[in-house]
């Protein structure tokens, strides 16, 4: 699906869009996970000695948020440009 009025889009540009969208999705998802953790009382970067349960849950929320953001960005890309594996 090219929006360039008949002019084909270069595959390198599409892969750049894929990488940039996944990086942005990871960042935004991780930030969402971080602030959701803070809202729920799970601070991933809490001071103190060792890792507490609350900080481990906060780290998991950041990881799940980042991974979810990457998956959403990839689904957006596939819906717009098609599967890059083809």
């Amino acid at each position: 699906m090219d929006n360039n009025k008949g002019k084909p889009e270069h595959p390198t540009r599409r892969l750049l869009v894929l990488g940039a969208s996944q990086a942005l999705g990871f960042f935004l998802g991780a930030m969402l996970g971080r602030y959701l953790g803070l809202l729920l009382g799970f601070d991933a970067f809490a001071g103190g000695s060792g890792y507490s349960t609350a900080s481990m849950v906060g780290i998991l929320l950041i990881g799940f948020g980042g991974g979810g953001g990457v998956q959403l960005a990839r689904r957006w890309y596939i819906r717009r440009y098609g599967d890059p594996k083809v």
Side-chain angles (χ1 to χ4, degrees):
M1 174 198 277
D2 289 329
N3 295 331
N4 292 339
K5 299 178 182 168
K7 183 176 163 186
E9 192 170 356
H10 198 274
T12 305
R13 178 171 160 76
R14 283 192 180 182
L15 291 177
L16 180 64
V17 169
L18 174 62
S21 66
Q22 286 181 336
L24 183 63
F26 175 81
F27 178 75
L28 293 176
M31 293 301 291
L32 182 65
R34 164 85 170 126
Y35 289 113
L36 179 65
L38 287 176
L39 184 68
L40 297 174
F42 302 114
D43 189 3
F45 303 111
S49 62
Y51 291 108
S52 66
T53 303
S55 65
M56 291 300 291
V57 172
I59 291 169
L60 282 174
L61 286 172
I62 292 171
F64 285 140
V70 168
Q71 292 303 314
L72 286 174
R74 185 162 179 81
R75 287 183 186 174
W76 168 83
Y77 178 87
I78 289 173
R79 190 177 24 203
R80 182 172 173 116
Y81 296 108
D83 195 359
K85 295 179 186 175
V86 179

